[in-house]
Amino acid sequence: MTTGLTVFDTAIGVCGLAWRGDVVAGTSLPDGDASRTRASLARRFPDAVEGPPPAPVQAAIDGIVALLAGARVELASVPLDFSGVPEFNRRAYEIARTIPPGRTLTYGDIAHRLGVPGSAQAVGQAMGHNPFPIIVPCHRVLAAGGKDGGFSARGGVGTKRRMLVIEGALADEPTLF
């Protein structure tokens, strides 16, 4: 089956998405500009052919764009290709997908919901390897006490915080500049 690839503009920059059939194979947060986002996704999917996505995939893209523009869009029903994703990570991603826009959980909360208390660090590592950012909203998963924790996307925790502000999970904090 051919893998497709596309990049698209959002409120936080150019994101990317790869698919097989009508199923999302991976997403990419902005990597600086369209060519870098495209190259990042192409490294993960070297056989991908850039082109227009099928209607169900386009609906997922439209949902991502709307969510990042501040709409309360649920992406939990977007079909994802979990082949090659470790079982623990897949289970953690399924729990993360239940977090609605504007809400957060901690790594420990997800560990408890997995039935593996004490695995918060493993949950954090799983979120750091999330192949479906935004659709699997790892940005909604925080460290203990509501602290940011890490974020592996370009811009790091600043990108995570920006996404949470857009969704209404964090207040837009004033800066000195």
Side-chain angles (χ1 to χ4, degrees), residues 88 91 107-123:
F88 180 88
R91 290 176 51 224
Y107 300 116
D109 292 334
I110 291 179
H112 277 65
R113 290 182 186 191
L114 286 168
V116 191
S119 66
Q121 185 176 15
V123 170

Side-chain angles (χ1 to χ4, degrees), residues 30-78:
D31 199 13
D33 62 26
S35 63
R36 286 170 42 190
T37 299
R38 183 179 293 108
S40 174
L41 207 51
R43 279 191 297 279
R44 289 174 48 203
F45 301 97
D47 61 333
V49 176
E50 191 163 0
V57 174
Q58 184 60 54
I61 291 168
D62 294 344
I64 291 168
V65 170
L67 179 72
L68 294 175
R72 294 270 193 230
V73 175
E74 291 286 344
L75 301 173
S77 65
V78 173

